[in-house]
Amino acid sequence: MMMLIVVSSAIFAGLLFTGTEVEPARSIQRAMALLVPLGVLVFSIFWSAQQSAELRDEDRRVSALEDAARLQRFDWLTHALTDALSRPMRSPLHRVRALQVYVTTLVGVGRFDDAERSAAAMLGEGVPLGMVTSLRALRVYAMLREDRLVDADRALGELRRQDRDIDISGHAPAMVALAAMYRDAVTGHCDDALRSFEKNRPAIAKQLGLRVADADALAAHSALTLGQSSRAAHLWRRATLFASPAELVHRFPPLSTTSAALAPASVPPELATGGAR
Amino acid sequence: MSPSTDLLAFRRTLATGTAARFFLVLAAMAGTAIYVFPLGNPTLGAALFAAAALVYFYLSWKSIAVSRDAMPAHEHLARGNLPEAEQLLTTALRKFSLFPSQRAVELLQLAQLRFEQSRYIESADLANAVLSLRSPAPILASAQLVRLEAVTELLDLPRVHAGLLALAKLPLSHADSARLMYCRTLYEVALSAHDHTLYLLPGKLQLAQALSGPRYARWCLELARSALAAGRHELFDHLVARAVAVGDSANLARKVPDLADAVDKAALHPEFGRI
């Protein structure tokens, strides 16, 4: 825009000095040389302000979608996403964020095959660094739910490699650890699942907050499979402080046997209603 | 209190960036004036304008590169790798930038980092610096939230009250609303308004799901304190168990010393030791 102003100034300045010798025409040219760049400047200011306002509105709409995904309002999201994604977006980043919500929603409503393909397509197109890990982890989870164990294992390897590539030291990301635990629990490598749990639980609690219940539940399942019933009972009680057994089984179907075998944590009466977990 | 070295470094880059912008605009305007109006040699005017534009583009590119180099700091912060995040952010803050005001994101991240390091006064100062910049509304809201969290930890109750009022007017995301509720709970507990703290508890617990692990644990302990004051012992035990399940029990006992015994009791399992 700045260049446009400068170029228009130069053109009209050129007209001013090379134009006609007739005095009224020279006056008009002189006025135009001042007014046109000024007009372009005023137009550019209004145009930029309008663009910024529209971008802010779009950001608010995408944030609302992300909030709904966190609250697991998938019924609402299926309609809202159809509306949001069927129209062009001003910012590519907003579109990518909306698409990430779309993948989460597909997982939430149990369309794992679609979720996996959508995540793979997004990763193929290129997404911001901060989204890569969660998208890859969602993809691994969707593959495991589809019983595509070999593909899931390969995708988990990619996830670990990517973690090394972006040079993040310290703990493996919590989502990677959780996905690996689920893979180990599904494939019957319960020792590995428990080892991974012991190693990564503090990081999972720190990074994923209450989703540590998922790790506790998978560890309880592994412990029960290995015959460590006392440990399994303790871990299951801790997991069900934050998520109901039905919710945990919905997320990880192999936990249905664990849910049937072990008692959940007791909930005080004032929290028993309203889904406070 | 003297400002932190981070803040001094940022003020220095802010001043040099502003001065550089001023001289570049001056050179471009002078070049245009010489070119457009018959004040001298048009070739000299064009050369001056072109030189200013070239320097501007070069410095813009360098400034963008500084911000790009600091981008992994966000990922480090999310994973709790504080030394790595600190190195990236403090390095970025000390480098020249043509648009220091556009680096509000890094300044905000540094404020969050100082908060995580329990350096609350510095965190509040850095958040104040972000608020003094012309930034988009979401960044300003985040800065207000970081400042509120810092003054809440410092138990500076008048500023907490002002911060709560200011943020109540802003549209916040679900995660930010949860952080606001965290601050409000600590404020209410500090004022012994235990009935307020325990009011609508199921809804609050749902909202708190968006909190990070350490914050959730601390929040549960503050609620537990209110439950104890209200004589609701079953609720107290449940909330302490939640806090210990999510947070580091040693750290919790240090932060909330009056409940250290309850935390230790909940964290010490008869069969598996400390959990």
Side-chain angles (χ1 to χ4, degrees):
Chain A
M1 195 54 72
M2 187 69 191
M3 291 303 283
L4 190 62
I5 295 165
V6 172
V7 169
S8 60
S9 304
I11 289 169
F12 280 93
L15 281 174
L16 187 68
F17 294 113
T18 59
T20 174
E21 294 296 318
V22 184
E23 191 51 38
R26 273 186 73 90
S27 300
I28 291 167
Q29 280 178 347
R30 199 188 298 268
M32 290 293 281
L34 290 172
L35 287 176
V36 169
L38 201 65
V40 172
L41 183 68
V42 170
F43 169 77
S44 70
I45 289 169
F46 278 107
W47 185 75
S48 304
Q50 195 198 355
Q51 291 288 308
S52 303
E54 285 176 6
L55 270 176
R56 274 198 301 275
D57 282 348
E58 195 173 88
D59 181 56
R60 264 197 290 275
R61 284 197 296 274
V62 175
S63 296
L65 293 175
E66 288 172 337
D67 280 349
R70 273 189 213 104
L71 293 168
Q72 303 187 2
R73 292 175 57 200
F74 298 123
D75 287 342
W76 180 79
L77 274 171
T78 46
H79 299 293
L81 280 167
T82 310
D83 182 46
L85 291 172
S86 59
R87 282 182 294 177
M89 285 198 186
R90 294 188 175 275
S91 158
L93 181 63
H94 291 163
R95 174 159 286 275
V96 171
R97 280 168 59 195
L99 283 169
Q100 192 184 23
V101 174
Y102 174 67
V103 175
T104 310
T105 306
L106 287 174
V107 168
V109 298
R111 287 170 55 187
F112 300 110
D113 189 36
D114 291 339
E116 190 277 314
R117 277 190 280 130
S118 305
M122 281 181 73
L123 289 165
E125 293 280 323
V127 292
L129 191 63
M131 288 183 191
V132 173
T133 305
S134 59
L135 267 178
R136 282 190 194 269
L138 274 173
R139 189 164 166 246
V140 171
Y141 175 74
M143 285 170 170
L144 287 168
R145 291 296 302 264
E146 289 276 291
D147 282 335
R148 289 167 53 194
L149 300 180
V150 177
D151 291 338
D153 198 48
R154 194 179 303 127
L156 203 56
E158 280 173 21
L159 194 50
R160 288 208 169 102
R161 265 196 305 281
Q162 166 236 312
D163 202 53
R164 280 198 300 273
D165 289 347
I166 59 174
D167 192 27
I168 300 288
S169 55
H171 290 290
M175 292 186 88
V176 183
L178 203 55
M181 270 189 74
Y182 185 34
R183 191 253 336 249
D184 291 339
V186 166
T187 53
H189 295 93
C190 294
D191 276 337
D192 291 338
L194 280 176
R195 258 197 301 277
S196 174
F197 172 74
E198 296 290 345
K199 187 179 159 197
N200 293 305
R201 191 185 186 278
I204 294 172
K206 200 168 184 181
Q207 291 171 29
L208 299 184
L210 302 198
R211 292 294 300 274
V212 75
D214 292 354
D216 282 340
L218 290 168
H221 174 78
S222 302
L224 192 67
T225 309
L226 292 172
Q228 303 171 9
S229 52
S230 173
R231 188 182 187 188
H234 168 66
L235 289 167
W236 185 252
R237 265 199 307 278
R238 202 163 65 180
T240 49
L241 282 171
F242 303 111
S244 67
E247 199 179 325
L248 289 169
V249 172
H250 176 71
R251 276 187 222 150
F252 307 106
L255 296 183
S256 57
T257 49
T258 314
S259 174
L262 301 172
S266 63
V267 179
E270 53 264 66
L271 303 183
T273 54
R277 282 170 174 176
Chain B
M1 178 155 299
S2 61
S4 68
T5 50
D6 300 323
L7 206 53
L8 286 173
F10 176 70
R11 283 181 187 159
R12 205 162 37 241
T13 52
L14 190 69
T16 49
T18 307
R21 279 201 312 277
F22 174 75
F23 284 116
L24 283 172
V25 169
L26 201 68
M29 282 170 67
T32 310
I34 292 168
Y35 181 75
V36 172
F37 301 106
L39 297 177
N41 186 353
T43 312
L44 178 70
L48 189 57
F49 181 87
L54 277 176
V55 172
Y56 175 86
F57 286 124
Y58 173 71
L59 292 178
S60 302
W61 174 69
K62 291 285 282 182
S63 307
I64 291 166
V66 169
S67 288
R68 199 181 50 229
D69 290 347
M71 269 172 74
H74 172 73
E75 196 81 1
H76 283 302
L77 260 180
R79 294 179 187 193
N81 300 331
L82 302 188
E84 289 86 347
E86 182 174 15
Q87 196 192 352
L88 285 172
L89 293 171
T90 51
T91 307
L93 221 59
R94 278 159 181 74
K95 282 187 179 167
F96 171 81
S97 172
L98 195 58
F99 317 106
S101 61
Q102 288 184 2
R103 280 170 43 193
V105 174
E106 286 119 63
L107 205 57
L108 181 61
Q109 283 176 350
L110 193 64
Q112 283 169 335
L113 175 84
R114 295 299 180 221
F115 179 86
E116 298 297 334
Q117 291 171 327
S118 305
R119 291 160 68 174
Y120 303 121
I121 296 172
E122 286 178 48
S123 176
D125 285 347
L126 289 165
N128 269 332
V130 178
L131 289 169
S132 69
L133 301 170
R134 277 175 302 172
S135 307
I139 290 178
L140 291 180
S142 293
Q144 278 196 327
L145 203 49
V146 172
R147 184 175 62 177
L148 175 63
E149 285 178 325
V151 294
T152 304
E153 293 294 339
L154 293 167
L155 281 181
D156 183 348
L157 296 184
R159 287 174 75 188
V160 176
H161 183 71
L164 287 172
L165 285 179
L167 277 160
K169 297 173 196 157
L170 297 178
L172 295 176
S173 69
H174 183 63
D176 287 348
S177 300
R179 285 165 66 193
L180 183 63
M181 182 187 66
Y182 169 86
C183 294
R184 189 181 292 122
T185 301
L186 265 63
Y187 177 69
E188 286 168 353
V189 171
L191 294 174
S192 301
H194 300 301
D195 287 347
H196 280 90
T197 311
L198 298 176
Y199 185 59
L200 294 175
L201 194 50
K204 285 180 178 175
L205 281 167
Q206 271 195 331
L207 181 60
Q209 288 179 9
L211 288 173
S212 65
R215 277 198 183 89
Y216 185 89
R218 172 78 192 278
W219 180 75
C220 277
L221 270 192
E222 296 297 338
L223 283 181
R225 200 200 299 264
S226 287
L228 192 63
R232 292 154 77 169
H233 296 282
E234 193 188 353
L235 182 62
F236 171 79
D237 290 340
H238 181 81
L239 290 168
V240 173
R242 277 182 183 244
V244 168
V246 178
D248 171 26
S249 55
N251 194 27
L252 284 173
R254 192 169 46 80
K255 280 202 164 180
V256 191
D258 54 320
L259 294 180
D261 287 345
V263 169
D264 282 342
K265 192 178 155 202
L268 211 60
H269 191 274
E271 201 174 334
F272 311 114
R274 200 171 185 87
I275 52 174

